[in-house]
Amino acid sequence: MKQILNSILTLLVLILARHVYGQEINKGKLIVEPHAALLFDAGKVNISGTNTPFINTLYPANPADQVNQKDHDGSYLNLGIVLAKQLSPAFRVGLGADVDFYLNIGDYTRYALPVYINLQYTVPSLREHLFIYGNGGYAPGLGSNFRNGAKGEGGLGYSWTGKRSGNRYSFSLGYNYQQLRGVWQYVLTPNEEKNRLFLTQINSVNLNINSFPLKFAIAF
């Protein structure tokens, strides 16, 4: 029985290898790689330098009013592109740019436009399927919607070459850090005489956003 199971497993591996393994990675090749990712929340969105979760509007005179103030909804979106050069069959280096959508952080969607250096190492012994990648860069501020801040990302992925198209496809899972600087936090204070809340203070805070990106990419 054990021999039969081993034979079936070997056959499945051979079939899979035949269908997903295509052209080798060519040294010196210029690569254009667009990608899309769903970023899963990796914890609270904290104010930089503290363990305090970010809440968009504070009610110091009545903390009970903050019960319905959520700090984030747990998922974000990412779209981007990498332009890279294959320095060897195992190693490539490139320049990337993304658009990040951080949904409902403090009841608002926050945006970032990080530009970064991309490094990727493909494990040759695994027939050029398994790879490790790392991104490091910075998001410049742009207007009132796009915040500036440092970016760092790394992860593990699996790629294959399309048998007909010749394009290289990949899935990856990693860890992403993005700082958003200069986010406004509002402080409201009640006025008992008028029975209303008044804006009494605006704080500028820096946020640390941690997430696990699940990414799909196509390299041309």
Side-chain angles (χ1 to χ4, degrees):
M1 184 64 179
K2 185 177 180 179
Q3 292 180 347
I4 295 176
L5 291 176
N6 287 335
S7 299
I8 294 175
L9 180 60
T10 301
L11 180 61
L12 289 175
V13 170
L14 291 174
I15 293 174
L16 178 64
R18 181 177 180 182
H19 281 278
V20 301
Y21 180 68
Q23 301 173 355
E24 295 182 352
I25 300 176
N26 297 321
K27 179 180 177 181
K29 181 181 179 180
L30 295 177
I31 299 167
V32 179
E33 185 180 74
H35 61 259
L38 180 63
L39 287 69
F40 298 96
D41 161 55
K44 295 288 186 181
V45 177
N46 289 334
I47 297 174
S48 298
T50 74
N51 290 322
T52 305
F54 172 74
I55 295 178
N56 188 74
T57 306
L58 299 177
Y59 303 89
N62 190 2
D65 289 341
Q66 291 179 184
V67 172
N68 294 325
Q69 295 287 319
K70 60 184 178 180
D71 57 351
H72 60 306
D73 76 343
S75 63
Y76 318 115
L77 299 175
N78 164 274
L79 299 173
I81 190 168
V82 172
L83 304 178
K85 184 173 183 178
Q86 198 74 41
L87 301 182
S88 72
F91 184 72
R92 81 175 198 191
V93 61
L95 181 66
D98 289 357
V99 181
D100 295 339
F101 303 84
Y102 295 103
L103 310 178
N104 294 328
I105 295 180
D107 296 329
Y108 292 93
T109 297
R110 317 286 175 168
Y111 305 92
L113 291 170
V115 179
Y116 52 88
I117 299 296
N118 167 258
L119 302 175
Q120 182 171 306
Y121 176 78
T122 301
V123 183
S125 61
L126 296 177
R127 301 195 70 179
E128 301 174 343
H129 288 318
L130 187 67
F131 65 88
I132 303 169
Y133 75 93
N135 300 326
Y138 194 83
L142 183 62
S144 59
N145 292 324
F146 293 90
R147 299 297 177 180
N148 62 310
K151 172 192 174 65
E153 181 185 351
L156 182 68
Y158 182 87
S159 67
W160 70 96
T161 302
K163 193 172 182 181
R164 294 184 179 179
S165 67
N167 299 326
R168 196 143 184 106
Y169 304 89
S170 67
F171 280 104
S172 63
L173 180 64
Y175 172 81
N176 182 70
Y177 166 82
Q178 178 67 57
Q179 184 185 57
L180 299 182
R181 301 178 61 86
V183 176
W184 288 354
Q185 184 181 53
Y186 304 97
V187 180
L188 299 182
T189 303
N191 185 306
E192 295 181 359
E193 295 180 359
K194 296 185 178 181
N195 195 27
R196 293 175 59 188
L197 292 171
F198 288 88
L199 177 63
T200 55
Q201 186 177 343
I202 300 178
N203 302 322
S204 178
V205 298
N206 302 328
L207 305 183
N208 295 330
I209 302 178
N210 303 283
S211 59
F212 299 114
L214 178 61
K215 185 181 302 183
F216 174 73
I218 304 176
F220 300 97

